[in-house]
Amino acid sequence: MEIKKLFDGEKTVFSMEIFPPKKPGTIDSIYSTLDGLSGIKPSFISCTYGAGGNPADTSTVDICRIIKEKYDILSIAHLTCVNNTKEDIDLAIELFKQSGIENVLALRGDINDKVEPKDDFKHASDLILYLREKAPWLEISAACYPETHPNSETAAEDIRYMKYKEECGAKHFMSQLFFDNSDFYRFRERAEIVGIKSPIEAGIMPVTSKAGILRMVSMCGASIPQKLARLLNKYEYNEEALKDACINYSIDQISDLIASGADGIHLYSMNKPDVAIRIYQAVKNLL
Ligand code: FAD
């Protein structure tokens, strides 16, 4: 499926991300997540691969095949390269072929202090070029960073490498989570200035726990604006109130992004269908 076609119409694309069950051998539990999400009609669902530096296995491809075959939804398999050799990527390509997976999010991957990176791929752009050569039938997406990737010295440098990923063959971008839409709007302007033409989806993560989101932002470098910090502090010890307040926060963010013409909303569902459904119900008529 040509990913750019999803963005041809007037409507804002709505997509979601899930992750493989954490316990090995429990892949069947993904059905309850996917059944729970079935009230939503996303343009695609993507599935992470070894996120947080965790060991990766074939569950990403298995889940993407289930999304496609059982739920009839386009799936995008995440694939990282920093801990993989060319032979590992060849195996992944073979698995994609066998499982009918045609869409990949090509990533460098999180660097894990305990795992020595392999030498074959340094950046997502190396993986994109390799996939283009070895599997030209794959549609490639890539990641981008409204608040600039923490490894980049400057926003200008980061956006140049984003443009390079497009030149290498990325047809679509999914953004890192952010909580202040003005960060996304400034980033979108930078992308426009360097001539990036591919659609950019805005990554929205609903917060459900203060400790969880603090851990997440410390890993990915996103910032927490005052408005969200106030909610986290006020409802820290009231789980239901925190959930309600933060769902409303995500709905406000998404409504404003749609009104400002965002190409797409990529919802980090965190495998929590009840939260994703509440958000989708509130914004579906705006898309
Ligand atoms: P790159 O594009 O390689 O960028 C990393 C840094 O290098 C940036 O500072 C960039 O500006 C710079 N750079 C880029 N290209 C070059 C180049 N050619 N030469 C020199 N410098 C360069 N991680 C997982 O492990 N599994 C997942 O499933 C996963 N899913 C993700 C989904 C989304 C939507 C996003 C936004 C991130 C995801 N991540 C995942 C996290 C991601 O792996 C990390 O953010 C990682 O640190 C960078 O990956 P990247 O592909 O953006 O890297």
Side-chain angles (χ1 to χ4, degrees), residues 177-178 181 202-206 250 253-254 257 265-269:
L177 62 97
F178 61 91
N181 286 0
I204 298 296
M205 178 170 288
S250 293
Q253 255 196 295
I254 295 173
L257 285 160
I265 305 296
H266 185 64
L267 187 72
Y268 292 95
S269 84

Side-chain angles (χ1 to χ4, degrees), residues 47-231:
C47 182
T48 64
Y49 173 90
N54 293 324
D57 57 22
T58 59
S59 56
T60 300
V61 175
D62 293 336
I63 291 167
C64 285
R65 188 177 41 72
I66 292 169
I67 294 169
K68 209 175 153 204
E69 288 178 2
K70 181 160 189 292
Y71 295 87
D72 197 23
I73 296 171
L74 178 75
S75 57
I76 299 189
H78 297 203
L79 178 65
T80 62
C81 61
V82 73
N83 294 322
N84 281 327
T85 60
K86 287 184 176 168
E87 289 71 29
D88 296 327
I89 298 299
D90 291 343
L91 278 176
I93 293 173
E94 193 47 43
L95 258 184
F96 292 152
K97 207 186 271 173
Q98 285 167 15
S99 309
I101 307 299
E102 294 168 337
N103 294 80
V104 174
L105 176 65
L107 297 152
R108 181 190 74 179
D110 289 322
I111 308 276
N112 181 338
D113 292 342
K114 295 185 194 106
V115 182
E116 183 67 25
K118 299 267 179 4
D119 293 329
D120 286 354
F121 304 96
K122 294 264 176 290
H123 289 286
S125 50
D126 303 326
L127 176 62
I128 297 170
L129 288 173
Y130 192 75
L131 292 174
R132 282 279 305 283
E133 186 200 327
K134 293 279 177 154
W137 42 273
L138 279 173
E139 279 283 308
I140 301 171
S141 302
C144 64
Y145 300 85
E147 293 185 76
T148 300
H149 190 280
N151 292 159
S152 289
E153 296 282 323
T154 63
E157 176 193 304
D158 200 31
I159 211 85
R160 270 202 310 278
Y161 285 123
M162 178 181 169
K163 171 77 178 142
Y164 181 58
K165 289 198 273 193
E166 185 184 57
E167 286 162 6
C168 291
K171 299 275 171 51
H172 155 238
F173 289 93
M174 293 187 229
S175 98
Q176 184 57 281
L177 62 97
F178 61 91
F179 296 108
D180 183 342
N181 286 0
S182 52
D183 287 326
F184 183 78
Y185 299 141
R186 278 192 294 271
F187 158 76
R188 203 168 53 172
E189 271 173 33
R190 290 196 295 278
E192 212 177 298
I193 288 167
V194 297
I196 291 168
K197 297 276 187 290
S198 303
I200 303 173
E201 283 193 273
I204 298 296
M205 178 170 288
V207 177
T208 50
S209 97
K210 183 176 173 181
I213 201 60
L214 293 183
R215 207 170 37 246
M216 182 65 81
V217 297
S218 75
M219 284 192 315
C220 75
S223 54
I224 297 188
Q226 271 300 318
K227 194 174 151 191
L228 179 59
R230 274 197 295 275
L231 300 180

